[in-house]
């Protein structure tokens, strides 16, 4: 087996990964004399002075900005773009004005979006090298390095295209190969370089998850995903173990095996271990639903939009990508990722509504609906992961259509048994723009999943579908502090967003990386990049 993940190909000969090869650089110097194909000029709405290191260009660009403003072409509104020639004020060939919105409303997320939007235009322009001014301290309450990180994330994620299956010649424009942050204060160089390195690892991880989700199910099968996990693990020197069906049966994972019964593709329980923390420290366990295609099984789904069910492995993709990033970032934590992987297919051997399976935990499950398969495979994977006695147990899954009904397409459903863990995930979500919203796991919801013939049933009726699914999962985690992220409504979008094209979003990857980065004093971002508030004067008495 080769250690090169790009060499991993499916049986059909397609590579499983696309790569955006953009080198992110930082250099000290004056912005105006820096030569590039395109210079980005960030502008705050209603503010003539340009922010950060672009400030010296305020005066020379004032006529251009006034003119574009008068015509209503460019006012600095968030995500607005306007191209111009270099006006003789810059050594760059062209300028791209990028609106950041009102200064007071700038956040890490609005910066990602503005850069993502710029990336969407950049990839059509044929500009191999862009220059970006560094923001001064304070914009969006971010340090310059934290701002550079989120800008770079937005740029890289915004350049992403999934075109591995298009055989026609690529559009004849040169791709972006370099982006250089030009910095007036060379003391910032080192911190900015580190931030750009982090951004590139994080964006790589999110794009790996997008790739895996976007691949169709004839290419991304449990077997090819296992092979990719092995190759990626070899590259990062991580331990990767794959449990095959015979071993699952020997262990008693009948809930997982039951879902796989309808499919010709063998199921895999893929495990990856990263040890960046102390040897005696319990790991953080990440479990990701990896249904490579969800037809619903015998409880067959309607065919409209069924093709989107190739993304039902987005949870697994997220944990695989996050553990890769944890290793590349050398985070001081121990992490184990679990990917229970199978198809959910109807066939003569498929499990049927009413079947009863014994889970690894010993609890018996009545399978009322074979389309509620995610919770079945997670039940066994959670029990297995909980046996490691992890510090935290987190699962992430495209679990319920009900999540979209409850929260729409802008929030991850969040539930758990540990308030501290739930709070930490919520904060990580806010920092990364992958926001999660907590729902209650109250006792009465458990009545909805009582079975008349087994210990528990796999559906809870019409109401509160996100919660009853999570209530079901909670029965398999024992006393381990656990939280669940339902990404069913956020894993796929039909309408492109500033740094996310239509299709699979890679949601959850950046949230998980951020969460892991915040463990044990690891370097987090961008919260760690937020300047601490000035210390308050101590009360007179304490000052004595
Ligand atoms: N993979 C689906 C959930 C899903 C639905 C994800 C729509 C993305 C978009 C899951 O396995 C499922 O089918 N859940 C059922 C559960 C129901 C039978 C209780 C659902 O949500 O309809
Ligand atoms: Zn389903
Ligand atoms: Zn599913």
């Amino acid at each position: 087996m080769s250690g090169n993940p790009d060499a991993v190909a499916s049986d059909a000969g397609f590579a499983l990964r696309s790569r955006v090869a953009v080198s992110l650089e930082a250099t000290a110097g004056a912005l105006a004399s820096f030569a590039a194909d395109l210079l980005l000029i960030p502008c705050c709405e209603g503010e003539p002075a340009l922010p950060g290191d672009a400030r010296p260009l305020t005066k020379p660009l004032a006529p251009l900005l006034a003119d574009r403003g008068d015509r209503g072409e460019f006012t600095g509104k968030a995500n607005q773009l306007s191209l111009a020639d270099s006006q003789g004020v810059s050594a760059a060939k062209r300028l791209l004005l990028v609106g950041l919105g009102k200064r007071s409303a700038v956040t890490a997320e609005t910066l990602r979006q503005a850069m993502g939007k710029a990336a969407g235009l950049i990839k059509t322009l044929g500009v191999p090298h862009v220059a970006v001014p560094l923001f001064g301290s304070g914009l969006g309450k971010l340090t310059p390095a934290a701002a550079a990180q989120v800008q770079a994330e937005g740029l890289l994620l915004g350049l992403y295209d999934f075109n591995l299956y298009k055989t026609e010649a690529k559009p004849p424009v040169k791709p972006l190969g370099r982006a250089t942050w030009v910095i007036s204060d060379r003391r910032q160089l080192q911190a900015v370089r580190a931030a750009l390195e982090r951004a590139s690892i994080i964006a790589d991880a999110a794009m790996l998850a997008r790739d895996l989700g976007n691949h169709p199910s004839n290419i991304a099968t449990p077997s090819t995903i296992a092979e990719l996990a092995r190759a990626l693990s070899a590259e990062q020197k991580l331990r990767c173990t794959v449990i095959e069906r015979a071993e699952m049966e020997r262990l008693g994972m009948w809930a997982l095996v039951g879902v796989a019964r309808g499919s010709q593709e063998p199921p895999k329980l893929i495990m990856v271990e990263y040890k960046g923390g102390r040897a005696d420290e319990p790991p953080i366990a990440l479990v990701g639903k990896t249904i490579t295609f969800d037809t619903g099984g015998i409880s067959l789904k309607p065919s409209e939009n069924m093709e989107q069910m190739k993304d039902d492995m987005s949870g697994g993709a997220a944990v695989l990508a996050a553990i890769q990033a944890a290793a590349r970032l050398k985070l001081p934590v121990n992490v184990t990722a679990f990917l229970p992987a199978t198809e959910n297919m109807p066939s003569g051997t498929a499990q049927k509504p009413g079947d009863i399976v014994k889970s690894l935990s010993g609890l018996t499950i009545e399978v009322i609906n074979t389309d509620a398969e995610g919770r079945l495979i997670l039940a066994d994977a959670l029990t297995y992961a909980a046996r490691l006695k992890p510090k935290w147990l987190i699962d992430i899954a495209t679990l319920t259509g009900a999540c979209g009904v409850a929260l729409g397409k802008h929030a991850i459903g969040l539930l758990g048994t540990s308030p501290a863990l739930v709070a930490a995930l919520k904060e990580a979500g806010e920092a990364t723009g992958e926001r999660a919203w907590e729902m209650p796991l109250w006792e009465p919801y458990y009545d909805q999943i009582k079975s008349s013939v087994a210990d528990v049933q796999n559906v809870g009726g019409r109401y509160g579908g996100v919660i009853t699914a999570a209530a079901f999962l909670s029965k398999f985690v024992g006393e381990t502090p656990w939280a669940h992220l339902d990404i069913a409504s956020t894993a796929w979008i039909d309408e492109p967003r500033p740094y996310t094209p239509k299709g699979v979003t890679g949601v959850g990857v950046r949230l998980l990386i951020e969460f892991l980065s915040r463990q044990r004093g690891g370097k987090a971002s961008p919260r760690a990049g937020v300047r601490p508030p000035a210390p308050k004067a101590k009360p007179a008495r304490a000052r004595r």
Side-chain angles (χ1 to χ4, degrees):
M1 181 65 248
S2 124
N4 173 7
D6 293 321
V8 174
S10 66
D11 291 345
F14 292 108
L16 277 179
R17 289 191 79 180
S18 65
R19 279 274 168 99
V20 185
V22 180
S23 126
L24 302 181
E25 300 162 6
T27 187
L31 192 61
S33 53
F34 190 79
D37 297 297
L38 186 72
L39 169 62
L40 302 193
I41 304 288
C43 308
C44 292
E45 189 177 3
E47 199 174 301
L50 297 172
D53 284 354
R55 185 174 274 267
L57 295 181
T58 302
K59 215 165 156 197
L61 288 180
L64 170 78
L65 285 166
D67 180 55
R68 301 262 160 126
D70 289 345
R71 292 167 196 261
E73 266 177 47
F74 183 85
T75 56
K77 238 173 63 189
N79 298 347
Q80 218 177 25
L81 301 174
S82 189
L83 270 171
D85 63 37
S86 70
Q87 313 287 313
V89 306
S90 157
K93 290 187 194 135
R94 277 195 281 181
L95 308 178
L96 177 58
L97 309 176
V98 182
L100 302 181
K102 296 242 159 60
R103 176 179 279 267
S104 59
V106 171
T107 62
E109 180 59 10
T110 62
L111 291 183
R112 271 187 212 101
Q113 292 188 5
M115 287 297 279
K117 198 77 190 181
L121 180 62
I122 285 169
K123 65 186 171 195
T124 67
L125 293 178
V127 286
H129 185 193
V130 301
V132 189
L134 185 70
F135 292 150
S137 277
L139 194 66
K141 298 207 188 72
L142 299 165
T143 61
Q149 178 179 332
V150 295
Q151 282 183 313
E153 287 172 6
L155 176 72
L156 294 176
L157 292 169
L159 291 172
Y160 178 85
D161 263 328
F162 185 73
N163 52 17
L164 293 171
Y165 297 96
K166 298 242 188 213
T167 52
E168 85 236 24
K170 301 246 161 65
V173 299
K174 289 199 193 115
L176 180 67
R178 284 169 76 198
T180 308
W181 271 254
V182 185
I183 299 174
S184 63
D185 175 0
R186 68 168 57 241
R187 286 169 307 178
Q188 301 283 352
L189 259 183
Q190 214 188 345
V192 170
R193 287 199 176 122
L196 295 176
E197 172 69 11
R198 272 201 302 278
S200 122
I201 291 171
I202 291 167
D204 245 12
M207 292 188 288
L208 166 64
R210 286 182 184 176
D211 278 352
L212 283 174
N214 279 322
H215 276 296
S217 70
N218 59 327
I219 306 300
T221 63
S223 302
T224 57
I225 293 174
E227 201 188 327
L228 178 70
R230 280 208 176 98
L232 291 168
S233 299
E235 196 186 52
Q236 298 300 325
K237 302 194 173 50
L238 307 178
R239 185 133 81 130
C240 178
T241 320
V242 178
I243 297 184
E244 307 286 341
R245 185 188 336 240
E247 175 75 355
M248 294 173 193
E249 291 177 353
R250 200 186 59 74
L251 289 164
M253 298 180 160
W254 298 108
L256 171 52
V257 168
V259 173
R261 271 184 50 187
S263 170
Q264 299 284 335
E265 290 288 343
K268 309 275 170 181
L269 175 53
I270 304 160
M271 281 179 296
V272 181
E273 276 171 78
Y274 163 63
K275 291 197 176 300
R278 287 195 312 264
D280 60 344
E281 204 171 67
I284 295 167
L286 304 177
V287 180
K289 171 177 172 181
T290 313
I291 293 289
T292 57
F293 196 83
D294 183 9
T295 64
I298 296 297
S299 313
L300 195 63
K301 286 183 180 296
S303 38
E304 196 181 326
N305 296 334
M306 208 211 270
E307 73 285 354
Q308 289 178 15
M309 284 300 128
K310 68 179 181 176
D311 82 343
D312 211 17
M313 32 58 68
S314 294
V319 306
L320 181 60
I323 199 168
Q324 286 304 310
R328 290 183 67 192
L329 292 165
K330 302 191 172 52
L331 299 181
V333 284
N334 296 333
V335 186
T336 309
F338 297 83
L339 288 78
T342 175
E343 288 184 331
N344 184 27
M345 297 289 285
S347 82
T349 58
Q351 70 179 351
K352 301 169 288 296
D355 284 2
I356 297 174
V357 290
K358 188 168 193 132
S359 65
L360 179 63
S361 72
L363 283 180
T364 56
I365 305 167
E366 184 185 9
V367 180
I368 300 279
N369 189 317
T370 65
D371 196 12
E373 84 297 338
R375 63 197 79 181
L376 296 172
I377 65 165
L378 289 173
D380 281 346
L382 286 168
T383 302
Y384 194 73
R387 287 183 180 172
L388 280 183
K389 302 233 172 310
K391 178 174 181 224
W392 308 117
L393 175 55
I394 302 164
D395 78 76
I396 175 163
T398 46
L399 205 64
T400 65
C403 192
V405 178
L407 294 172
K409 294 189 71 66
H410 303 282
I412 297 169
L414 169 61
L415 305 95
T417 54
S418 159
L421 178 56
V422 165
L425 289 168
K426 194 156 187 272
E427 280 174 27
E430 256 144 46
T432 53
E434 299 190 329
R435 287 184 290 186
W437 195 252
E438 191 183 3
M439 294 194 215
L441 257 187
W442 292 325
E443 199 274 327
Y445 292 102
Y446 286 81
D447 292 341
Q448 290 176 235
I449 52 169
K450 282 190 176 145
S451 162
S452 52
V453 290
D455 296 330
V456 64
Q457 65 181 34
N458 78 332
V459 299
R462 196 171 144 71
Y463 298 105
V466 185
I467 300 174
T468 52
F472 178 93
L473 296 179
S474 74
K475 291 195 159 271
F476 300 89
V477 302
E479 298 300 308
T480 314
W482 157 81
H484 159 67
L485 296 162
D486 192 332
I487 53 167
S489 61
T490 43
W492 179 290
I493 54 173
D494 286 315
E495 295 300 326
R497 299 199 182 148
Y499 59 86
T500 316
K502 174 190 156 116
V504 174
T505 60
V507 70
V509 174
R510 292 183 299 108
L511 181 157
L512 288 174
I513 297 171
E514 181 66 21
F515 168 81
L516 295 173
S517 305
R518 291 171 179 221
Q519 301 295 307
R520 271 224 303 139
K523 242 199 168 174
S525 58
R527 190 184 62 165
V530 173
R531 288 182 309 159
K536 286 203 186 97
K538 286 192 189 134
R541 225 172 345 127
R543 226 187 287 151
R544 238 176 343 132

